[in-house]
Amino acid sequence: MKYDVIIIGSGLGGLECAHILSRAGMNVLLLERGTQAGGCLLSYKRLGLAFDTGFHYVGGLYEGQSLHAIFEYLGLLRLPWERLDTYFDRVTIEDRTFAFAQGYDRFVRTLAEDFPAEREALNRYVNMLKRIEEQQFDMLNPQSGKPSFPFKLFETSAYQYLTETFRDPLLINVLCGTSLKMELRRESLPLFTFAHGNSSFIESSWRLKGDGSLIVNSLVDDIRRHGGEILCNSEVQVLVEKDGKLVHAVCSNGESYEGNIFISNVHPAVTCDLVKQSDRMKKIYRNRIAGLENTFGMFTVSLCIRSRTLKYFNWNQYVYDQPNVWTFYLENSPVSGVLVSCRIPEDGSEYVQQVDLLTPMLWSKCEPWNMTEVGRRGEEYKAMKKRVAEECIILAERFIPGLRDMITGYYTSTPLTYRDYTLTPEGTAYGLRKDFRDPVMTVLSPRTPIPNLFLTGQNLMLHALHGVTMTTLFTCAEILGKEHIWNIVKN
């Protein structure tokens, strides 16, 4: 059987592409190396509790906002989303706490109470956020005349913009204090990446009552209802090219699948390695992709909380014990910045059972165990994880006094964990590093030198749930046309 589209990798980008293309009537096959679909949306169960691996909250779901139309199309609005508090993110820097409010006007008013001299600059800042939020959709408008990938929007330094817009260094750090959901890097971070990573959450912020597998299961069910196929335990080892186009995906189990179009949701460097021989994918392209740098990974501590000891808090808390949130992760030993997030109680009570602590972890911290496998990394690795977990708990206790006494146990993951379970080089949390100094090289198009091979996922233009969804739209626009995708996001 020959498929219209074969998709490699069932992370969010692969699932969303499969959903959109199968709903459009294409015959879609999705191949996943793991035992279940989902990528970083996967959850795992321990002691009767489900723990998320990479998803905590999302922005822009309210009607008329940036994700509403596409999530409605994908069937994801039917899931049990619950809106966070008005003050959805709170940032503690040393001994002061500041609040991010939902709604652009309220956002400005709230921060201007602490920084009255910066009110005008804050208004300019939110106008910039709104402008960039609009521009990303203009790229999909077939009538706009704008290119599919707006490199110029990536040519401004986030750090330079912030330091030129605001006079108060503390306010700059506060505005960046919720940005553990991206890699803050002075010398490379584009303003577009920074703005996109913040704007939708200010529109509105939401948690899922349940784990990320709800998103996965919803998409999987729809894909199959549309006639699409999903095969797990099907690791693609070779993409075979003939006469300048891909024709087959060959899996490790010996199965071969023929297709007209191929979409890779795995890391671009891994994708290049799958194409063993090609007249189209030249060495210069392969070297370019192999030479791109990855963003840092994350260390996560998933805490099990003793019954009826910690009341649910309907916001995300960021805690730093030093003033500069742009550089803390370079050493971060002991841990000096952490995100504290909890799961909505599913038993109807006001008490939580789980709390997640997240902090950046550089690949250099994991390199001593680079050649090891899950469960066989040795005692030194276990000791390292225990030490970092303890440091995370100590910092989180600034927000939750006595947290340690509420914990019945915890589970940890490192960039090595992500690498081994999701085949993500260096366990990168946010994909390839974008660089405003060279966006042409670091911002990837869905197109590749092979005309029927496309890319999708966080390594292209944008990351996280919102960013991957946008990238999905750009990938599908290459196949279905801009007009088809424009009708989805504007209906």
Side-chain angles (χ1 to χ4, degrees):
M1 179 178 180
K2 188 173 185 178
Y3 294 89
D4 295 326
V5 183
I6 293 178
I7 300 172
I8 301 105
S10 70
L12 180 63
L15 289 170
E16 289 182 332
C17 282
H19 188 289
I20 293 170
L21 297 175
S22 62
R23 182 167 172 176
M26 303 188 82
N27 186 14
V28 175
L29 171 66
L30 195 157
L31 299 171
E32 165 58 41
R33 68 188 286 266
T35 58
Q36 55 185 321
C40 286
L41 284 176
L42 281 174
S43 58
Y44 63 93
K45 290 191 176 182
R46 298 286 189 277
L47 301 176
L49 298 176
F51 296 90
D52 280 310
T53 55
F55 169 69
H56 292 88
Y57 66 133
V58 67
L61 294 187
Y62 196 74
E63 188 171 359
Q65 294 178 349
S66 54
L67 269 188
H68 183 272
I70 180 59
F71 263 41
E72 184 172 50
Y73 185 86
L74 292 169
L76 297 178
L77 288 186
R78 63 187 176 225
L79 299 180
W81 298 102
E82 294 197 8
R83 196 162 183 171
L84 295 181
D85 280 0
T86 297
Y87 304 107
F88 67 99
D89 276 347
R90 306 181 192 190
V91 182
T92 297
I93 297 179
E94 295 184 306
D95 59 350
R96 296 184 63 185
T97 297
F98 306 87
F100 279 31
Q102 296 188 53
Y104 288 113
D105 292 341
R106 188 183 286 117
F107 177 85
V108 171
R109 288 199 305 270
T110 301
L111 286 176
E113 291 176 3
D114 288 305
F115 303 95
E118 299 277 24
R119 183 182 296 272
E120 183 180 344
L122 284 165
N123 277 314
R124 293 199 304 272
Y125 173 73
V126 299
N127 286 335
M128 179 274 296
L129 294 182
K130 289 187 282 188
R131 186 169 64 252
I132 285 186
E133 196 69 48
E134 294 167 357
Q135 286 175 325
Q136 65 182 342
F137 286 100
D138 285 342
M139 300 174 222
L140 292 165
N141 186 348
Q143 306 303 321
S144 70
K146 296 179 181 179
S148 296
F149 257 61
F151 290 115
K152 286 190 176 295
L153 297 178
F154 286 85
E155 292 175 346
T156 302
S157 159
Y159 187 76
Q160 181 179 346
Y161 169 86
L162 292 165
T163 53
E164 290 178 352
T165 301
F166 300 102
R167 295 187 297 273
D168 193 324
L170 177 59
L171 176 56
I172 293 172
N173 281 287
V174 169
L175 291 172
C176 302
T178 66
S179 295
L180 283 179
K181 48 186 177 282
M182 70 182 74
E183 183 186 66
L184 289 181
R185 189 178 170 93
R186 286 182 183 179
E187 59 270 34
S188 59
L189 182 66
L191 178 61
F192 188 89
T193 306
F194 177 84
H196 182 272
N198 285 284
S199 57
S200 64
F201 295 98
I202 299 173
E203 287 184 311
S204 64
S205 287
W206 307 76
R207 270 193 188 132
L208 192 57
K209 190 174 183 179
D211 58 83
S213 65
L214 294 176
I215 298 173
V216 176
N217 294 338
S218 176
L219 292 170
V220 166
D221 289 346
D222 280 357
I223 291 165
R224 287 175 172 153
R225 186 160 52 248
H226 299 153
E229 293 183 49
I230 301 173
L231 297 180
C232 294
N233 296 308
S234 298
E235 181 178 4
V236 175
Q237 286 195 325
V238 181
L239 293 173
V240 179
E241 179 184 305
K242 183 178 180 181
D243 298 327
K245 289 186 176 182
L246 295 185
V247 291
H248 289 96
V250 181
C251 296
S252 57
N253 58 11
E255 296 291 335
S256 179
Y257 303 95
E258 186 178 4
N260 290 320
I261 295 171
F262 294 77
I263 298 174
S264 177
N265 186 47
V266 301
H267 193 283
V270 176
T271 303
C272 288
D273 288 341
L274 295 177
V275 184
K276 305 299 183 186
Q277 295 182 345
S278 174
D279 294 329
R280 294 283 193 140
M281 188 177 283
K282 304 296 185 182
K283 186 176 181 180
I284 188 171
Y285 179 84
R286 294 176 183 270
N287 289 343
R288 172 200 167 193
I289 298 299
L292 294 175
E293 296 179 343
N294 293 300
T295 52
F296 58 50
M298 299 296 291
F299 182 88
T300 303
V301 190
S302 297
L303 304 175
C304 302
I305 303 298
R306 183 175 289 107
S307 177
R308 302 184 66 81
T309 59
L310 178 62
K311 287 187 176 182
Y312 173 67
F313 51 97
N314 197 35
W315 69 89
N316 300 289
Q317 183 73 43
Y318 295 80
V319 184
Y320 300 90
D321 73 350
Q322 58 140 305
N324 195 332
V325 305
W326 281 78
T327 58
F328 81 95
Y329 69 89
L330 294 174
E331 291 297 333
N332 206 22
S333 183
V335 170
S336 53
V338 67
L339 163 60
V340 186
S341 182
C342 67
R343 175 79 64 81
I344 298 173
E346 297 178 50
D347 59 1
S349 75
E350 60 180 338
Y351 292 92
V352 303
Q353 294 179 292
Q354 300 164 242
V355 171
D356 281 348
L357 311 179
L358 293 88
T359 193
M361 178 171 276
L362 302 179
W363 180 247
S364 58
K365 298 284 182 70
C366 298
E367 267 191 316
W369 302 278
N370 182 32
M371 303 306 293
T372 62
E373 299 177 356
V374 173
R376 299 179 179 180
R377 305 201 198 278
E379 294 304 315
E380 289 186 9
Y381 178 74
K382 292 179 182 178
M384 181 273 287
K385 291 200 299 177
K386 182 177 181 180
R387 182 181 68 253
V388 178
E390 290 296 316
E391 292 170 358
C392 287
I393 293 168
I394 290 170
L395 192 54
E397 284 194 303
R398 295 193 178 193
F399 164 55
I400 308 174
L403 173 62
R404 183 181 307 279
D405 295 332
M406 305 174 190
I407 300 169
T408 60
Y410 62 75
Y411 304 94
T412 60
S413 63
T414 72
L416 277 170
T417 315
Y418 282 87
R419 182 202 66 178
D420 289 349
Y421 279 105
T422 67
L423 207 63
T424 305
E426 299 180 355
T428 171
Y430 309 119
L432 292 170
R433 180 175 295 139
K434 312 303 182 289
D435 193 330
F436 72 87
R437 298 166 299 183
D438 197 358
V440 174
M441 291 294 289
T442 58
V443 180
L444 301 183
S445 164
R447 290 189 172 274
T448 73
I450 302 174
N452 67 334
L453 171 62
F454 299 89
L455 305 175
T456 200
Q458 69 173 3
N459 293 288
L460 273 64
M461 184 171 70
L462 299 164
H463 65 266
L465 197 69
H466 191 295
V468 169
T469 300
M470 289 302 304
T471 299
T472 295
L473 297 176
F474 288 113
T475 301
C476 291
E478 296 286 352
I479 297 168
L480 299 175
K482 276 189 177 183
E483 187 170 351
H484 185 108
I485 301 302
W486 183 249
N487 288 333
I488 293 175
V489 299
K490 286 304 176 185
N491 282 343

